[in-house]
Amino acid sequence: GTVPFRSGRFYNVGSEWYFAVRRGIDQGPYKSKQDARAALSSYINDQLSFERHLEESRGGLSLQNTY
């Protein structure tokens, strides 16, 4: 298939936009880079919320303090 052009977190394949994530699969397609940016913001907020919930369910242990 077509090799996507990548420059940072956002990239496009034809007219469809995606964003890359460190954990998991890239997200998309979106109609515009602006839509991809908005989706990335939501994705980050969801991940932070999940990590806070996980921390609370473990009795307040921070993931950062477990290494």
Side-chain angles (χ1 to χ4, degrees):
T2 303
V3 176
F5 172 76
R6 290 184 184 231
S7 175
R9 185 172 299 272
F10 298 95
Y11 64 95
N12 66 303
V13 177
S15 63
E16 297 178 325
W17 285 88
Y18 298 80
F19 63 88
V21 295
R22 291 184 184 151
R23 293 183 255 169
I25 59 172
D26 292 356
Q27 304 293 302
Y30 299 96
K31 291 181 181 183
S32 68
K33 189 173 184 180
Q34 183 177 354
D35 288 348
R37 285 184 188 274
L40 173 61
S41 180
S42 293
Y43 178 88
I44 290 170
N45 287 331
D46 289 346
Q47 293 299 309
L48 291 173
S49 177
F50 173 75
E51 288 186 16
R52 278 193 298 273
H53 176 73
L54 185 61
E55 182 179 318
E56 291 169 2
S57 69
R58 291 184 173 175
L61 294 176
S62 173
L63 296 176
Q64 295 175 349
N65 295 330
T66 57
Y67 352 6

